[in-house]
Amino acid sequence: SRARTAQCVVDVDALLDSAASFAMFRHAARRAAVALGRPAAAAPRAPLARRFASDPLAATSKLYEDIVAKSVKEYQANQKVVSDDLDAELKANKMVLFMEGTPDAPKSEASHNTVKMLTQVQATQFVSVDVLSHPAILGYTVTKSQRSRGPHLYLNGSFFADHDGLLAKFNTGDLAKEVGTEGTKSSGVFGGELPIATY
């Protein structure tokens, strides 16, 4: 066995020293491995193609635009039924928030921030509609508001603001004046603060 191993090593060294082609060396190495009872090395694999986006933000933005386009088509296909139902909601409620998820479980950062802003100004008695529950609902609010990015807040049946508009109004204090209430805030030592929940 040692003689056989030594012979294989000598043969490989001889191939390397004599400037044999790479193909011959590989063939000899495989034969040597088989002679020693070792499995032959597998042929090298081609590198895998990249499976992730080179620009994740652009890819996400494109995906969202595709979803909005499909949602608008779905809304247009069922426009009468969807509009009748959702227009009735807008007429029946002072504030309607079209968002991803629900106020208790928002499914996007923008929806979460919007709920936080409305909570901070104590905008009470608003109805939320989950735009992810059916594509036609997203298509409805995108068409009505003429803004593709949600969430969308409607006040007295008309579009009031999207996330960026609400954030601007919140930062200037206008949101509290327009939709907020003071009656539910604490008094005394913690005057003006939101009440602490006791569950």
Side-chain angles (χ1 to χ4, degrees):
S1 176
R2 286 186 182 177
R4 184 185 268 178
T5 304
Q7 181 64 35
C8 290
V9 172
V10 169
D11 288 347
V12 171
D13 287 340
L15 283 173
L16 288 172
D17 291 340
S18 65
S21 70
F22 179 72
M24 286 176 55
F25 171 72
R26 193 167 71 184
H27 179 69
R30 283 188 182 167
R31 282 182 49 199
V34 170
L36 293 173
R38 297 180 187 149
R45 295 182 181 179
L48 293 175
R50 289 175 63 177
R51 297 193 187 280
F52 56 90
S54 59
D55 186 357
L57 292 177
T60 303
S61 180
K62 172 86 170 75
L63 177 64
Y64 187 81
E65 289 169 10
D66 291 344
I67 290 170
V68 168
K70 289 176 183 175
S71 297
V72 169
K73 286 180 184 175
E74 185 70 26
Y75 164 66
Q76 290 169 345
N78 303 289
Q79 188 166 359
K80 174 145 180 41
V81 175
V82 176
S83 292
D84 288 349
D85 286 348
L86 295 176
D87 285 344
E89 285 292 332
L90 293 179
K91 287 176 187 171
N93 299 284
K94 180 181 178 183
M95 282 188 288
V96 179
L97 177 64
F98 286 81
M99 62 180 288
E100 294 94 352
T102 63
D104 292 336
K107 294 183 179 175
S108 72
E109 186 177 355
S111 292
H112 180 68
N113 289 341
T114 298
V115 170
K116 285 174 26 180
M117 287 185 279
L118 294 175
T119 301
Q120 188 65 37
V121 300
Q122 291 293 280
T124 57
Q125 303 299 320
F126 71 87
V127 171
S128 70
V129 178
D130 184 1
V131 297
L132 301 178
S133 61
H134 195 279
I137 297 174
L138 178 60
Y140 169 85
T141 188
V142 165
T143 302
K144 190 167 182 68
S145 67
Q146 294 299 305
R147 288 180 175 69
S148 62
R149 290 285 176 171
H152 302 142
L153 181 66
Y154 292 81
L155 183 64
N156 297 321
S158 300
F159 177 71
F160 181 69
D162 59 0
H163 174 268
D164 293 341
L166 289 170
L167 183 60
K169 288 175 183 287
F170 179 79
N171 289 334
T172 61
D174 290 338
L175 186 63
K177 292 174 189 170
E178 294 179 46
V179 299
T181 59
E182 290 291 327
T184 55
K185 296 212 174 165
S186 298
S187 59
V189 177
F190 299 103
E193 296 292 325
L194 295 175
I196 297 171
T198 53
Y199 297 109

